[in-house]
Amino acid sequence: MQKRQQIRIDGIVQGVGFRPFVFRLAKSLQLTGSVLNSNTGVLIEVEGSIDDLSKFQSRLRQEMPPLAQIIDFHSSEIAVKNDDRFIIMQSEHKGESSVLISPDMSLCEDCLNELLSPADRRFQYPFLNCTNCGPRFTIIAGIPYDRPKTSMHVFPMCEKCTSEYHDPADRRFHAQPNACPDCGPHLKIYDREKRQVNTENPVKHAITLLRSGRILAIRGLGGFHLVVDAKNEKAVEELRLRKNRAEKPFALMAANTDVVDKYCKITHREREALQQQTRPILLLPARPSSNLPKSIAPKSKYYGFMLPYLPIQHLLLQEDFELLVMTSANFSDEPIVIGNEQAFEQLRTLADYFVIHDREILQRCDDSIAIISAGQQRLLRRARGYVPAPIIIKNETSTPILAVGGELKNTVALSKGKKIMLSQHIGDLDNPEAMNFFKSSIKHLQTLLEIEPQYIACDMHPEYLSTKWAYEQFLIPKIEVQHHHAHMASVMAENDNTRKTIGIILDGTGYGMDHTIWGGEIIIGDLKEVSRFAWFEPVPLPGGNAAIKEPWRMAISYLRHSFGDAMHKLTLPILRDTKPNDLQLLLQMLEKKVNSPLTSSCGRLFDAVSAILDICPKITYEAQAAIELEMSVKTALQRNLAYPVKIDNYSGAVSFVPLIREVVNDKIQNVPNEQIAARFHVTLAEILVSLAINARKEAGISQVGLSGGVFQNFTLFNYLNERLRGEGFHVLTHSKVPPNDGGISLGQIAVANAKLS
Ligand code: ZN
Ligand code: ZN
Ligand code: FE
């Protein structure tokens, strides 16, 4: 018996080859009907036997194109029409659109084969792509996603490209960025005086320059990279010098996973993660035998590796290099450079040569950073490959909410129904360029979702530039969300979980409900509200922000707090090496309580211990002291390593004096840092487990959420996560958004939505 079904699919289903796929699938099952792009996604009508229809539905999900993502799927039976074939119909564009755009994806296998086949008309053409790969988010000015609304609009397609574009049987059917050497963008090389280098083959020339140790600024997908030969120690050091970047690790791009395996131990799971089309930078444990230049990642036990995702990267890494340093082109924490002119101006002192192209980058987008931990991929920076795919929540927002995020590692987010669209990583708002990026990202999200926010969710911190901007939007009501509540809500929202939770939020800095600086918090509650169950006993932060940049200050603060005047008798390197004048000044500051706000920050506890152990008394990049403390842990953490510290109170302010005393004792006894650091990690985690057990007793909740910047420490995360599970907790962890402030905007929306409903 014949039946007819109407299927509506919402999700990332346009511009990714979905219609031709449906067309081929329907034909192979001898079904009749039609498929078309609608303003909400894709609309299919299929007619055939019940058996074939059910095969169609299951194969639709199983075999859909790689870039497609189904969010909603509705199927209903309608009257039989007795068509004689299956057709792709003209798109239907009416009313408000909610079509989602795919993130940018790495070159697919088919395109790579063409790139490398001398017989192909796109042989060695650096801008080839198809519906299964290539630029999307970064070339879009507006919707609907058609060529005129992208930066490809200045390249009219040649005859051959046009016929591919209109042929449903072709891989490039409706591939908006479709191009070839005859009609598309091209590469050029310039020197730093902005003189064009005369060359037939810019890629070959770039290889020659890299071979001779030159630093190249290469315009990529979401911005410029600075690139050098990773095995040329001098070149890597020169790059460090010019970038004024003393110690923060550089990312590497390797030709393939076998090359990565030479330098890092990689698991099967990590191999897969490197190869996925989102192509994040993956943090991988370095092999001790690795003989790469020290200056690539000094003091780190990880290398950040990615595989080529652009044609030009494949060409550079094909035969001539197996490894390149590939770092964002910017000064310290400024946003990555995207424009050609901007590059000539701003990167003049950084790069020797510029490899540029004429396909404008409309949306800046950094490389994403991920790690595999506890069997899952965890994002530390969410940008290229992931944005603008939405986070989906069941508890849909009834009104559009804009969330403006935090201050550092900022992202913004906008909600529409059950979709929450996060912006790419924007960065630290304290420079004008980043603030412009912040504003344009908000505009762009509004364009993509075609809505105006009715509420703005922001942090409670009155000095955050994002909060200040929110209050400049006079006409839109604001909902303030406490920073650590937002952290907890972000881990709940990405797991689509609304149940009562014990939040273990370990963070650097956040404005507390009592107007002091919080950061080591055990909170209990739900998306709507939380109460503070326990927190790290506050200690003074001498010099305020200066103490964040100079962890030795935090060490002195903790030493004074833990030992009083007896601290002067301690034979610690940090006391020996601090200039007597500086020490005196700092102690007076603490004594008189001048410029020494109290903080319960967990990040500052790590800073203090790192400085007490003389690992990192001064930092050159954010969180360096805490990172190096983690890096000094060389052994697997085990419960029996915990210091025998007694914590008297299992709620309220929890004192870390006993732990600091143990650490200091060991340091004085010349116990190796490696051991002390491991014992510190285990003890801290055990204290947190005890606090969670106590919170469970008191509140009758056994779900824990882990969030906050300190959870970028995967040594701590893995141990704590496992211990909590062992104690019978249901543990919510981050995988889709970062545990750091990059996830704050998502949490703000979740809280605002709960408060509004
Ligand atoms: Zn392709
Ligand atoms: Zn063409
Ligand atoms: Fe935070």
Side-chain angles (χ1 to χ4, degrees):
M1 205 180 70
Q2 292 290 106
K3 293 250 182 212
R4 191 178 182 90
Q5 286 175 340
Q6 186 183 62
I7 302 169
R8 285 182 179 278
I9 302 175
D10 181 9
I12 300 174
V13 287
Q14 293 191 12
V16 293
F18 205 84
R19 285 176 303 161
F21 155 71
V22 170
F23 177 80
R24 282 192 298 270
L25 181 61
K27 285 213 136 180
S28 76
L29 292 166
Q30 279 152 6
L31 299 172
T32 58
S34 62
V35 57
L36 64 92
N37 276 347
S38 74
N39 56 334
T40 55
V42 162
L43 186 64
I44 305 170
E45 288 191 12
V46 268
E47 195 170 313
S49 72
I50 298 184
D51 234 28
D52 288 338
L53 287 176
S54 92
K55 270 186 209 146
F56 177 79
Q57 285 215 11
S58 63
R59 283 181 61 188
L60 194 67
R61 285 167 185 275
Q62 281 159 15
E63 298 168 21
M64 65 180 181
L67 303 193
Q69 196 189 326
I70 293 177
I71 289 171
D72 252 332
F73 189 100
H74 278 293
S75 137
S76 56
E77 208 179 303
I78 56 171
V80 172
K81 287 187 187 162
N82 291 315
D83 314 307
D84 56 353
R85 61 204 167 114
F86 194 93
I87 53 166
I88 295 179
M89 294 211 305
Q90 195 68 30
S91 301
E92 165 185 277
H93 278 303
K94 53 181 182 204
E96 185 189 294
S97 164
S98 65
V99 166
L100 293 171
I101 284 156
S102 162
D104 307 274
M105 291 291 171
S106 77
L107 197 70
C108 72
E109 281 302 311
D110 291 334
C111 286
L112 180 59
N113 286 335
E114 292 171 355
L115 181 73
L116 305 178
S117 336
D120 195 276
R121 71 186 190 97
R122 291 187 176 86
F123 177 56
Q124 294 191 339
Y125 177 59
F127 298 91
L128 84 169
N129 62 79
C130 72
T131 47
N132 299 326
C133 73
R136 294 287 187 281
F137 177 68
T138 51
I139 58 164
I140 287 171
I143 55 169
Y145 170 54
D146 284 326
R147 197 166 172 111
K149 292 275 178 74
T150 71
S151 57
M152 289 301 292
H153 76 276
V154 295
F155 303 102
M157 276 185 282
C158 68
E159 227 169 89
K160 281 182 184 156
C161 287
T162 309
S163 76
E164 292 166 342
Y165 183 88
H166 290 293
D167 177 4
D170 197 282
R171 213 171 81 244
R172 297 192 165 91
F173 177 64
H174 280 230
Q176 305 304 342
N178 188 24
C180 76
D182 294 334
C183 65
H186 284 280
L187 289 178
K188 284 177 183 164
I189 301 193
Y190 284 79
D191 68 10
R192 63 204 308 187
E193 305 305 330
K194 220 174 140 179
R195 289 176 302 219
Q196 190 177 345
V197 176
N198 226 330
T199 167
E200 286 278 286
N201 189 334
V203 174
K204 277 269 170 306
H205 196 83
I207 289 169
T208 316
L209 291 169
L210 286 169
R211 273 240 186 80
S212 64
R214 300 308 172 97
I215 300 174
L216 265 51
I218 302 182
R219 194 184 205 195
L221 194 58
F224 274 81
H225 280 122
L226 292 170
V227 184
V228 293
D229 176 359
K231 293 187 178 168
N232 184 332
E233 179 134 31
K234 253 192 164 160
V236 180
E237 264 162 26
E238 177 66 20
L239 176 60
R240 243 183 218 294
L241 210 70
R242 291 194 200 168
K243 244 199 140 188
N244 194 14
R245 176 152 150 169
E247 281 158 332
K248 195 174 177 180
F250 285 140
L252 293 164
M253 183 172 277
N256 54 55
T257 52
D258 290 339
V259 173
V260 178
D261 193 54
K262 286 195 209 170
Y263 306 103
C264 293
K265 276 185 292 204
I266 52 172
T267 61
H268 179 68
R269 180 76 186 75
E270 286 165 336
R271 207 175 273 267
E272 277 177 357
L274 282 164
Q275 287 166 335
Q276 64 192 325
Q277 258 193 300
T278 53
R279 287 288 202 272
I281 295 171
L282 198 67
L283 300 183
L284 296 162
R287 288 187 189 278
S289 58
S290 149
N291 55 356
L292 289 176
K294 270 242 154 354
S295 49
I296 288 176
K299 298 187 195 170
S300 180
K301 59 181 172 192
Y302 297 113
Y303 283 124
F305 266 107
M306 59 183 153
L307 297 187
Y309 53 88
L310 290 178
I312 183 179
Q313 296 162 348
H314 281 286
L315 293 173
L316 291 176
L317 285 153
Q318 203 52 42
E319 285 148 43
D320 299 84
F321 297 99
E322 59 169 27
L323 208 57
L324 292 170
V325 164
M326 184 93 44
T327 183
S328 317
N330 57 353
F331 273 107
S332 57
D333 292 324
E334 280 175 28
I336 175 172
V337 170
I338 55 175
N340 289 336
E341 287 308 314
Q342 190 195 7
F344 287 129
E345 223 170 88
Q346 294 182 19
L347 305 177
R348 201 165 172 271
T349 55
L350 296 184
D352 298 312
Y353 289 89
F354 295 81
V355 182
I356 65 165
H357 61 70
D358 46 0
R359 186 179 73 199
E360 287 309 311
I361 297 170
L362 298 182
Q363 305 305 323
R364 171 186 283 122
C365 206
D366 283 87
D367 295 318
S368 294
I369 304 176
I371 189 168
I372 304 294
S373 163
Q376 257 181 299
Q377 175 171 299
R378 324 255 171 200
L379 287 177
L380 299 174
R381 183 161 79 195
R382 187 177 184 273
R384 179 184 49 74
Y386 296 91
V387 173
I391 306 286
I392 305 297
I393 51 168
K394 280 194 298 283
N395 225 354
E396 66 182 87
T397 56
S398 53
T399 176
I401 303 166
L402 169 71
V404 294
E407 171 94 346
L408 303 179
K409 294 193 165 67
N410 179 277
T411 61
V412 295
L414 186 62
S415 76
K416 183 175 188 177
K418 48 175 110 162
K419 297 170 195 151
I420 302 178
M421 198 180 270
L422 266 74
S423 73
Q424 66 274 49
H425 164 83
I426 292 171
D428 301 350
L429 296 185
D430 55 3
N431 74 72
E433 192 59 33
M435 207 54 208
N436 288 335
F437 184 15
F438 166 85
K439 290 176 200 164
S440 68
S441 296
I442 291 172
K443 274 216 188 90
H444 192 59
L445 288 183
Q446 286 176 216
T447 309
L448 290 182
L449 287 175
E450 282 195 301
I451 43 165
E452 299 279 329
Q454 299 302 306
Y455 289 90
I456 300 180
C458 61
D459 199 275
M460 282 172 62
H461 200 311
E463 295 305 316
Y464 273 9
L465 292 167
S466 53
T467 305
K468 287 186 169 170
W469 180 89
Y471 277 92
E472 284 163 16
Q473 316 310 306
F474 305 110
L475 299 176
I476 311 175
K478 263 64 73 181
I479 298 171
E480 288 191 356
V481 181
Q482 198 277 325
H483 190 85
H484 303 104
H485 189 192
H487 271 303
M488 180 173 112
S490 76
V491 77
M492 291 172 71
E494 70 150 276
N495 287 284
D496 202 7
N497 186 308
T498 54
R499 289 201 301 276
K500 285 218 166 196
T501 302
I502 300 165
I504 300 183
I505 313 302
L506 305 181
D507 205 22
T509 308
Y511 195 72
M513 293 178 197
D514 59 1
H515 313 304
T516 69
I517 309 165
W518 292 8
E521 312 297 318
I522 316 295
I523 51 182
I524 298 179
D526 53 21
L527 293 175
K528 203 165 185 177
E529 54 193 2
V530 285
S531 60
R532 206 180 182 200
F533 175 75
W535 55 92
F536 290 22
E537 182 186 28
V539 291
L541 184 68
N545 272 337
I548 298 175
K549 296 203 170 99
E550 298 179 7
W552 68 270
R553 290 169 179 257
M554 219 47 225
I556 304 297
S557 181
Y558 261 104
L559 289 174
R560 182 176 172 275
H561 183 69
S562 306
F563 294 90
D565 282 343
M567 71 174 271
H568 297 289
K569 296 196 195 101
L570 304 170
T571 50
L572 287 170
I574 181 84
L575 292 170
R576 185 193 62 213
D577 297 345
T578 305
K579 286 195 198 111
N581 263 348
D582 290 350
L583 184 60
Q584 220 40 51
L585 260 163
L586 197 82
L587 287 168
Q588 275 171 19
M589 221 179 206
L590 289 166
E591 198 73 42
K592 295 183 182 143
K593 300 185 173 149
V594 180
N595 193 14
S596 299
L598 292 175
T599 180
S600 62
S601 166
C602 177
R604 299 296 84 76
L605 174 66
F606 273 84
D607 287 356
V609 172
S610 183
I612 287 170
L613 298 185
D614 205 27
I615 290 171
C616 184
K618 270 190 192 167
I619 62 171
T620 61
Y621 64 91
E622 199 210 341
Q624 185 183 356
I627 290 170
E628 288 180 6
L629 178 61
E630 181 198 353
M631 294 308 148
S632 57
V633 178
K634 302 280 194 300
T635 45
L637 297 187
Q638 278 165 353
R639 205 172 162 187
N640 61 12
L641 285 175
Y643 286 117
V645 298
K646 267 227 166 356
I647 302 292
D648 342 304
N649 43 345
Y650 279 108
S651 64
V654 176
S655 168
F656 282 88
V657 168
L659 176 53
I660 292 288
R661 284 177 159 269
E662 292 285 354
V663 166
V664 168
N665 248 339
D666 271 2
K667 184 66 185 170
I668 291 172
Q669 310 283 324
N670 288 320
V671 175
N673 279 345
E674 189 179 323
Q675 257 180 58
I676 307 178
R679 301 193 72 182
F680 167 75
H681 276 78
V682 175
T683 313
L684 173 62
E686 289 300 332
I687 291 171
L688 294 165
V689 170
S690 302
L691 289 169
I693 290 173
N694 216 43
R696 173 167 65 187
K697 254 186 239 151
E698 223 170 274
I701 302 168
S702 59
Q703 174 164 287
V704 169
L706 304 181
S707 189
V710 174
F711 284 113
Q712 293 171 99
N713 177 333
F714 287 92
T715 306
L716 179 72
F717 169 80
N718 282 330
Y719 180 81
L720 180 60
N721 182 30
E722 218 160 276
R723 278 285 289 121
L724 288 167
R725 284 171 202 266
E727 293 290 342
F729 286 97
H730 178 237
V731 188
L732 300 178
T733 62
H734 282 291
S735 58
K736 297 179 190 156
V737 303
N740 59 45
D741 284 7
I744 285 288
S745 60
L746 173 64
Q748 288 173 339
I749 287 195
V751 172
N753 185 38
K755 286 189 197 259
L756 285 169
S757 56

